[in-house]
């Protein structure tokens, strides 16, 4: 038996993949992240998407304006890659000092990805500029071909898109976001240090059975979809391995209750209200709490060439219940991940 500590002190973590939305939704969710994390890579899949440095600047100002008084939180902005993104936008991004990456959504792969990229061949000049200037490409790694089984879309993407991309741009910094398969883990491990991967708490905690436990569970539905247990085991092994190529990215993705509990429900799990606690629970379950700080607080900053944080947070081993719902939009609440369930670790105020 592992000797589980009652307290866990960590250098304040960062979230390297987060959806903050905009307007009232942003105002409702931002404090959850700002309470736990010093920085977050903010996803650009708004409507319309954040495709330029000017739009990223305006979005960043809205985020800063929505922060609770006294909060110290630095939103790290991203640009949404389209087939018309010009390479001079990459120069502007690097010069801005607040844009830290470019997000590649295969067109149609997920929420608000219609303006994404159908064929990376149309982005050659832009990718070459990113490679030259060291601006990372963050990849939603799924093919969109409906003839490919949804559980195979990540593995097929690796073979048909990612491997050629590595060959064509060997010095391009690349993050395979929200890895959900053993193939994703193996791919990242086999690459040099230009390549890293993020892992979500929900993919570390659940396998695909959780989508159908006693009935259809829309709040466990996200993209890429949960996979079978052997894959979850591979993700957990990667997260707790101490390998700096793997770091924390929550992919917390809020959607109002009525749009999740619907005939065609939205993809996304809201984890920001308990996220570092959920990771602690996943690491604790395999006796690897000593590996949490590197994964949550160090390796991502190192990959992005940013300084590590210096302040701390404390987690206490004390069970609490995740609320059934949180305030979100007028008359439409937000059902968090593991709503109503107990969780073993609590953030000390
Ligand atoms: C995300 C969202 O809702 O914006 N949804 C999700 O299931 N993860 C988009 C994404 O990251 O795929
Ligand atoms: Zn996401």
């Amino acid at each position: 038996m592992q000797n589980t500590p009652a307290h866990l002190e960590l250098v304040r973590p960062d979230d390297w993949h987060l959806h903050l939305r905009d307007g009232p939704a942003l105002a409702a969710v931002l404090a959850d992240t700002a309470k736990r994390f010093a920085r977050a890579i903010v996803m650009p899949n708004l409507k319309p998407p954040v495709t330029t440095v000017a739009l990223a600047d305006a979005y960043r100002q809205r985020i800063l304006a929505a922060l609770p008084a006294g909060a110290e939180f630095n939103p790290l902005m991203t640009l949404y890659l389209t087939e018309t993104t010009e390479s001079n936008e990459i120069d502007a991004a690097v010069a801005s000092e607040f844009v830290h990456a470019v997000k590649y959504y295969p067109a149609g792969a997920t929420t608000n990805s219609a303006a994404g990229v159908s064929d990376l061949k149309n982005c050659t000049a832009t990718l070459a500029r990113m490679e030259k200037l060291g601006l990372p490409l963050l990849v939603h790694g799924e093919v969109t071909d409906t003839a490919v089984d949804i559980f195979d879309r990540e593995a097929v993407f690796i073979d048909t898109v990612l491997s050629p991309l590595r060959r064509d741009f060997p010095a391009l910094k690349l993050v395979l976001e929200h890895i959900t398969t053993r193939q994703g883990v193996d791919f990242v491990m086999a690459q040099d240090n230009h390549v890293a991967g993020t892992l979500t708490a929900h993919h570390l905690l659940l396998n695909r059975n959780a989508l159908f436990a006693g009935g259809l569970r829309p709040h466990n539905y996200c993209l890429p979809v949960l996979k079978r247990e052997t894959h979850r085991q591979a993700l957990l092994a990667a997260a707790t391995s101490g390998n700096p190529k793997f770091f924390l990215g929550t992919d917390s993705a809020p959607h109002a209750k009525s749009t999740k509990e619907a005939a065609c429900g939205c993809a996304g799990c809201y984890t920001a209200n308990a996220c570092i606690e959920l990771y602690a629970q996943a690491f604790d379950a395999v006796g690897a709490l000593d590996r949490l700080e590197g994964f949550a607080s160090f390796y991502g900053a190192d990959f992005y060439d940013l300084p590590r944080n210096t302040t701390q947070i404390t987690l206490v081993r004390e069970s609490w219940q995740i609320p059934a719902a949180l305030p979100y939009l007028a008359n439409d609440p937000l059902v968090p991940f593991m709503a109503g369930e107990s969780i073993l670790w609590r953030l000390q105020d």
Side-chain angles (χ1 to χ4, degrees):
M1 272 285 287
Q2 186 222 8
N3 187 9
T4 309
H7 281 75
L8 187 61
E9 292 207 343
L10 299 177
V11 164
R12 184 170 287 274
D14 301 305
D15 183 351
W16 301 99
H17 181 130
L18 175 67
H19 299 271
L20 282 176
R21 312 304 191 207
D22 211 346
L26 165 65
V29 299
L30 180 60
D32 282 341
T33 291
K35 213 169 148 182
R36 292 166 175 81
F37 297 97
R39 299 169 288 202
I41 283 278
V42 179
M43 288 295 125
N45 63 332
L46 303 182
K47 271 182 183 169
V50 180
T51 49
T52 64
V53 176
L55 287 169
D57 188 18
Y59 184 29
R60 181 168 177 271
Q61 297 308 326
R62 295 197 296 281
I63 295 168
L64 294 174
L67 276 172
E72 280 183 39
F73 173 73
N74 184 7
L76 310 175
M77 308 311 290
T78 60
L79 298 187
Y80 185 116
L81 183 68
T82 73
E83 296 190 354
T84 57
T85 305
E86 304 273 358
S87 40
N88 61 9
E89 202 64 44
I90 303 305
D91 297 302
V94 171
S96 78
E97 293 186 358
F98 56 80
V99 174
H100 291 269
V102 174
K103 177 68 189 241
Y104 161 37
Y105 290 105
T110 188
T111 307
N112 298 346
S113 63
V117 174
S118 300
D119 188 346
L120 273 183
K121 293 238 169 346
N122 297 322
C123 303
T124 302
T126 304
L127 294 172
R129 200 77 195 142
M130 291 172 61
E131 181 180 41
K132 179 139 190 254
L133 298 182
L135 192 66
L137 182 71
L138 313 184
V139 180
H140 183 109
E142 288 189 290
V143 292
T144 54
D145 181 353
T146 50
V148 178
D149 190 282
I150 191 165
F151 294 101
D152 298 333
R153 287 180 194 172
E154 184 172 291
V156 172
F157 182 90
I158 289 166
D159 291 342
T160 60
V161 183
L162 223 40
S163 295
L165 180 66
R166 281 290 291 151
R167 273 199 299 277
D168 295 345
F169 302 95
L172 178 65
K173 285 178 94 170
L174 231 155
V175 184
L176 182 56
E177 303 275 85
H178 40 53
I179 302 173
T180 62
T181 58
R182 179 176 47 74
Q183 290 91 332
V185 168
D186 290 347
F187 173 82
V188 170
M189 285 202 298
Q191 308 303 309
D192 65 22
N193 61 9
H194 290 94
V195 179
T198 57
L199 295 160
T200 78
H202 46 288
H203 289 99
L204 295 180
L205 287 165
L206 299 184
N207 66 38
R208 66 190 190 177
N209 289 343
L211 289 165
F212 309 107
L216 195 59
R217 301 289 186 155
H219 299 291
N220 292 336
Y221 173 58
C222 64
L223 288 169
V225 73
L226 294 170
K227 303 298 191 300
R228 62 166 71 236
E229 177 63 10
T230 50
H231 294 293
R232 188 186 76 89
Q233 293 288 343
L235 306 182
L236 203 48
T240 60
S241 66
N243 183 334
K245 294 168 86 62
F246 299 99
F247 46 84
L248 183 156
T250 65
D251 196 18
S252 177
H255 290 276
K257 183 170 192 263
S258 72
T259 64
K260 291 286 291 175
E261 299 177 8
C264 185
C266 291
C269 298
Y270 185 70
T271 51
N273 66 313
C275 216
I276 191 64
E277 300 91 317
L278 292 165
Y279 282 104
Q281 178 142 327
F283 277 59
D284 195 359
V286 292
L289 282 171
D290 57 325
R291 294 280 167 86
L292 182 60
E293 188 177 49
F295 174 81
S297 314
F298 297 156
Y299 305 150
D302 297 350
F303 181 83
Y304 278 86
D305 294 322
L306 291 168
R308 293 179 178 184
N309 298 318
T310 48
T311 58
Q312 299 215 311
I313 61 164
T314 303
L315 297 172
V316 190
R317 201 170 200 285
E318 190 178 283
S319 171
W320 60 287
Q321 204 182 23
I322 297 190
L326 301 167
Y328 191 56
L329 306 179
N331 305 318
D332 208 348
L334 178 60
V335 178
F337 181 67
M338 278 177 55
E341 292 184 46
S342 305
I343 166 162
L344 282 177
W345 287 90
R346 194 176 60 73
L347 180 76
Q348 195 168 67
D349 285 326

